[in-house]
Amino acid sequence: MQFFKNVLSTVVGIFLFCFIFFFIIILVGIIAAAASGGNDEVVKIENNSVIELDLKDVTNDYSGKFKYKDFAMFDSEPKEGLMDVIKAIDAAKEDDRIKGITITNSSSMLGIAQNKALRDELDDFKKSGKFVVAYSEGYSQKDYYLNSVADTLYLNPVGEVDFKGLSSEVMFYKDLQEKTGIKMEVIRHGKYKSAVEPFLSNEMSPANREQITALLNSVWTSIVTDISKSRKIPVDSLNSIADRLGARTPELAKETKLIDKIGYLDEFQAGIKKALKLKKEDEYKSVAILDYVKATAMNDLLSDATDEIAIIYAQGEIRSGEGDVNVVTEDAMRKALKEARENKDVKAVVLRVDSPGGSALTSELIWRDIELTKKVKPVVVSMGNVAASGGYYISCNANRIFAEEGTITGSIGVFGMLPNFTELSNRIGIHTEEVSTHKNAAGYSPFTPLKDNTRAIIQEGVEKVYTTFISRVAAGRNLTIDQVDAIGQGRVWSGTEALKNGLVDEIGGLDAAIKYAAKLGKTTDYYTHNYPEFERDIHKLLGNLTGIPFAKTKEEFIKEEIGEENYKVFDRIKRVSQLKGTQVILPYEINIR
């Protein structure tokens, strides 16, 4: 009997070993595929090709550089950032194999400043004598702004152009607090610092309405000015079209010259064949933009330049911790800045900021490291969609600041916000009392009302951070404290307005900032290198895999159940509840439509 037991144990052991080994092989394969993006092949670019500008997978300026703990073979640097795309389009100007660029049913998540940067690159591409043509079954307003740079615009016979001006909405939670018993205790400095306004009121304050109106008008002016130049339509006419929804049908869109042709996709493609001098039955060669990015990435490696311009990307909210591609933290930023300033090949640093701000402490820590870096080599800031509050805090001491016309910046203000559950807990029968040895020993508790002396202490902290903030700006921008306070108070400005009031130095994109940094670094022969590098583990990697049910993140499951728009509301409430310490963050959730 013991013999059979031993045999059975051995068989079971062998079976389990084989099963586990097989599972590990599959797991390693999945990880390798995910780390490499599922396809390491570089597409061969053939003669007489056109680039298809598909932007659905392009969201950030920088797609990251990832290092996997204990799995160095999976380290990767994805080439799916907007700056990779812009660099590839620049290379396509001199590539004899590329004859033009097509934009078909474009739908992107890019912001207004990002669209401006891409649009400018496409405009420059056209100067090479190559074509840019666009087709859509319906242009959203943001996508029309990008597509309007094309030589020829097609619209499907049943499509429309959404061209109506800009709007932004703010949600208010005061009644929700009263109904639920959950109250947000607010301490702030800055009459425009309205990140906290939704928790104090049910309607927009005059100051908040004033700044949103000014911001939208400034951004809209920038947009219609660009469209006017490309489409040769007066700005006044474009405003009239927007007022009366004068492009809501294909016929109206063509009549107002917002588009050139009404037609179907096959007719659009026939036009491309004609431009390429192909026969009707022939197929033209098309290459996806991200494939072309990979194909041209080798050019950087072949460069014989020894001088380096370091580009450090600060994308997302500013928080404490290790950081990720969509979160700005002191660990990742300080490591990147230290590496850049200690590298003798680095002649200058460009800080690319796309952040609404966040933690005041983390912003100060990053500011300090920029100060240390400036003592060694020049630092130039390039602002993307938004560089506000903490995003401006980490920008203000640069040698020079570049912004796009539609960049949202400023928001020099401070607030603190504490959730309080006293009323809710009392409603459900939970009552709290405190016993302390000293007056302030208990500090703040979410289950007891906020005491006056505690509020005063927190207000004192907020005022101190604000004083520090405006002093940093005054020193960095060569302004007086009073001048900064006058344009501060939490107010947001467009890049155009910020140029006038001294918060930025020049209107221009990342390329202009890099050229200026090279000039300060006294180099003409250089290459660029992207920072920071992020550490990841296998659990996070598996959590980011899509299409595999057991590996989906909880955020993906929630989005599937409640929808993308509802998730944005949920995520906003969640992020507010997680705020710790004094905040220097954009005064409201901006969603320009």
Side-chain angles (χ1 to χ4, degrees):
M1 181 62 69
Q2 187 63 39
F3 170 76
F4 287 110
K5 286 182 180 180
N6 292 338
V7 171
L8 183 60
S9 298
T10 303
V11 171
V12 171
I14 292 173
F15 174 78
L16 288 174
F17 172 79
C18 292
F19 176 80
I20 293 171
F21 181 76
F22 179 70
F23 178 77
I24 290 173
I25 293 296
I26 292 176
L27 183 62
V28 169
I30 292 172
I31 293 169
S36 66
N39 182 14
D40 280 335
E41 290 185 14
V42 175
V43 174
K44 181 182 178 182
I45 311 300
E46 299 184 52
N47 289 326
N48 217 30
S49 292
V50 295
I51 293 174
E52 175 55 43
L53 193 64
D54 184 353
L55 301 171
K56 66 177 182 297
D57 294 324
V58 181
T59 54
N60 294 320
D61 291 337
Y62 173 50
S63 51
K65 185 185 296 182
F66 304 100
K67 185 175 182 180
Y68 291 88
K69 298 175 183 177
D70 303 320
F71 286 89
M73 71 285 289
F74 300 138
D75 291 355
S76 63
E77 185 174 1
K79 294 292 184 181
E80 297 172 357
L82 177 63
M83 295 310 155
D84 298 311
V85 169
I86 288 176
K87 186 182 290 186
I89 294 173
D90 184 61
K93 291 186 299 187
E94 308 299 328
D95 190 338
D96 293 336
R97 300 168 299 176
I98 300 299
K99 303 303 178 184
I101 294 176
T102 62
I103 313 174
T104 308
N105 285 320
S106 65
S107 178
S108 79
M109 298 298 291
L110 299 177
I112 290 172
Q114 288 175 310
N115 269 303
K116 167 67 173 172
L118 181 55
R119 199 180 187 283
D120 286 348
E121 188 61 45
L122 290 170
D123 201 28
D124 191 53
F125 174 85
K126 292 196 303 180
K127 294 174 184 176
S128 66
K130 301 177 181 183
F131 63 79
V132 176
V133 291
Y135 166 88
S136 183
E137 287 156 8
Y139 291 103
S140 70
Q141 189 160 249
K142 184 171 65 175
D143 287 325
Y144 179 76
Y145 173 54
L146 174 64
N147 282 252
S148 64
V149 77
D151 300 294
T152 307
L153 273 79
Y154 280 74
L155 178 62
N156 187 278
V158 294
E160 66 176 330
V161 179
D162 183 25
F163 192 76
K164 57 189 179 185
L166 304 180
S167 70
S168 181
E169 63 181 26
V170 180
M171 299 181 70
F172 295 87
Y173 311 107
K174 186 170 182 287
D175 281 353
L176 175 66
Q177 293 178 102
E178 292 175 357
K179 290 178 180 179
T180 61
I182 301 173
K183 181 182 178 183
M184 299 302 292
E185 298 286 0
V186 173
I187 302 95
R188 62 174 171 172
H189 182 109
K191 66 179 180 179
Y192 293 99
K193 202 66 187 175
S194 44
V196 295
E197 188 175 272
F199 299 95
L200 300 174
S201 174
N202 284 324
E203 59 185 15
M204 197 177 292
S205 66
N208 195 15
R209 186 173 294 280
E210 174 192 354
Q211 69 170 342
I212 293 177
T213 300
L215 177 67
L216 292 179
N217 283 330
S218 179
V219 172
W220 176 253
T221 298
S222 173
I223 289 172
V224 292
T225 299
D226 284 342
I227 294 174
S228 174
K229 290 177 182 177
S230 296
R231 300 300 302 166
K232 296 180 175 55
I233 304 172
V235 169
D236 287 345
S237 297
L238 288 170
N239 282 321
S240 176
I241 294 167
D243 263 339
R244 67 178 193 273
L245 300 179
R248 62 186 182 275
T249 67
E251 292 74 23
L252 286 172
K254 186 176 180 182
E255 181 183 323
T256 54
K257 298 182 181 179
L258 289 190
I259 65 166
D260 298 292
K261 295 185 179 183
I262 300 171
Y264 293 96
L265 180 60
D266 60 283
E267 294 173 303
F268 168 70
Q269 293 170 337
I272 296 171
K273 291 179 185 179
K274 186 176 180 181
L276 295 172
K277 299 179 181 178
L278 297 175
K279 296 177 182 178
K280 289 183 178 180
E281 61 272 15
D282 292 339
E283 295 292 332
Y284 62 85
K285 302 174 183 69
S286 178
V287 55
I289 183 60
L290 293 184
D291 286 336
Y292 188 72
V293 166
K294 292 176 184 176
T296 56
M298 189 61 67
N299 294 344
D300 290 340
L301 299 177
L302 297 176
S303 172
D304 57 0
T306 55
D307 290 345
E308 176 186 324
I309 303 297
I311 306 177
I312 301 177
Y313 290 86
Q315 301 177 151
E317 285 191 15
I318 299 175
R319 306 177 194 169
S320 62
E322 293 182 6
D324 204 340
V325 96
N326 291 309
V327 181
V328 184
T329 65
E330 71 272 20
D331 285 357
M333 295 302 294
R334 293 166 80 181
K335 189 184 297 182
L337 287 162
K338 184 174 186 293
E339 187 176 341
R341 69 173 173 263
E342 292 180 354
N343 186 341
K344 293 181 180 180
D345 292 336
V346 174
K347 303 305 177 185
V349 174
V350 174
L351 181 66
R352 174 68 173 184
V353 180
D354 192 352
S355 171
S359 166
L361 173 59
T362 303
S363 299
E364 169 71 9
L365 295 175
I366 296 171
W367 173 91
R368 174 59 181 169
D369 257 73
I370 292 170
E371 279 291 288
L372 295 175
T373 304
K374 271 177 58 187
K375 293 177 181 178
V376 181
K377 52 199 65 175
V379 177
V380 174
V381 161
S382 168
M383 294 179 170
N385 292 321
V386 55
S389 213
Y392 189 78
Y393 198 130
I394 65 174
S395 303
C396 68
N397 57 334
N399 295 96
R400 195 165 185 82
I401 300 176
F402 287 76
E404 296 284 10
E405 292 173 337
T407 296
I408 297 168
T409 188
S411 187
I412 302 166
V414 184
F415 74 89
M417 193 155 56
L418 303 166
N420 192 282
F421 308 107
T422 302
E423 189 175 338
L424 173 63
S425 61
N426 288 342
R427 286 181 188 177
I428 61 177
I430 299 174
H431 305 279
T432 306
E433 291 189 9
E434 294 175 345
V435 177
S436 304
T437 58
H438 293 75
K439 182 180 179 181
N440 295 305
Y444 174 73
S445 168
F447 298 102
T448 59
L450 180 62
K451 303 177 187 69
D452 288 342
N453 61 312
T454 304
R455 178 181 289 276
I457 292 168
I458 297 173
Q459 184 71 51
E460 181 183 284
V462 166
E463 296 300 331
K464 182 180 179 181
V465 172
Y466 182 74
T467 300
T468 303
F469 193 171
I470 61 175
S471 69
R472 300 289 186 237
V473 176
R477 302 304 303 155
N478 196 27
L479 298 169
T480 67
I481 294 291
D482 289 341
Q483 286 175 318
V484 177
D485 190 41
I487 57 178
Q489 298 289 328
R491 178 159 182 171
V492 295
W493 308 91
S494 69
T496 302
E497 296 167 323
L499 179 65
K500 295 174 183 176
N501 63 33
L503 290 179
V504 306
D505 297 296
E506 194 169 333
I507 297 298
L510 179 60
D511 188 54
I514 292 171
K515 289 177 181 177
Y516 191 87
K519 180 181 177 181
L520 291 182
K522 299 178 181 179
T523 178
T524 56
D525 186 21
Y526 58 88
Y527 67 95
T528 60
H529 189 76
N530 294 333
Y531 301 82
E533 181 180 275
F534 306 104
E535 281 196 350
R536 281 187 171 180
D537 55 35
I538 296 303
H539 296 293
K540 177 175 277 191
L541 174 60
L542 289 175
N544 287 332
L545 287 173
T546 57
I548 302 177
F550 63 80
K552 284 187 177 180
T553 63
K554 62 182 179 181
E555 288 82 6
E556 289 172 325
F557 279 120
I558 294 171
K559 283 181 184 178
E560 285 183 3
E561 291 300 318
I562 68 176
E564 188 78 28
E565 290 302 316
N566 291 328
Y567 179 78
K568 289 178 182 178
V569 177
F570 165 80
D571 184 57
R572 176 63 176 159
I573 295 172
K574 183 183 77 170
R575 284 188 285 123
V576 167
S577 68
Q578 292 174 340
L579 294 179
K580 294 181 180 179
T582 306
Q583 300 293 309
V584 281
I585 196 167
L586 191 65
Y588 44 86
E589 187 83 2
I590 279 192
N591 180 22
I592 297 177
R593 300 178 302 180

